[in-house]
Amino acid sequence: MEASAHLTTLVPMNIDITPNDSGLPGIAQLRTIVGAVMTVGLILSVLALIISAIVWGFGSNSSNPHLASRGKVGVLVSCGAAVLCGAAVTLINFFWAVGQQV
């Protein structure tokens, strides 16, 4: 009985830590940098989509199934990369909220 009463005193009661944007200098610049990296990622996804579509077209028209297959994979990968770049903030916010409920 005494051991269980002793263990309850060792457990921390209530820890409430939330992220803040005034704790470190340079947070605003970091947000700007992350936004710029997201923009670059989207631009590169569009470039990869264009190149993959061209490769897919050349492979299909030249009866080269290997090249056409690589073009199809490139189209899917570039679309997936664009989805991840676009949904990155929403995904992080969703999993942050899930983590707060644990």
Side-chain angles (χ1 to χ4, degrees), residues 33-100:
I33 291 169
V34 169
V37 170
M38 287 174 61
T39 302
V40 169
L42 288 173
I43 291 170
L44 291 177
S45 294
V46 170
L47 179 63
L49 178 67
I50 292 169
I51 292 171
S52 297
I54 291 170
V55 169
W56 186 1
F58 280 148
S60 294
N61 288 330
S62 65
S63 299
N64 188 342
H66 181 70
L67 194 60
S69 173
R70 291 293 181 181
K72 289 178 192 178
V73 170
V75 166
L76 291 176
V77 168
S78 63
C79 289
V83 166
L84 285 176
C85 284
V89 174
T90 304
L91 286 170
I92 294 300
N93 286 333
F94 171 75
F95 285 112
W96 172 261
V98 169
Q100 292 297 308

Side-chain angles (χ1 to χ4, degrees), residues 2-15:
E2 288 181 32
S4 64
H6 186 272
L7 287 177
T8 58
T9 59
L10 296 178
V11 177
M13 297 307 281
N14 187 11
I15 299 174

Side-chain angles (χ1 to χ4, degrees), residues 17-23 96 100:
I17 301 172
T18 58
N20 61 18
D21 55 357
S22 62
W96 172 261
Q100 292 297 308

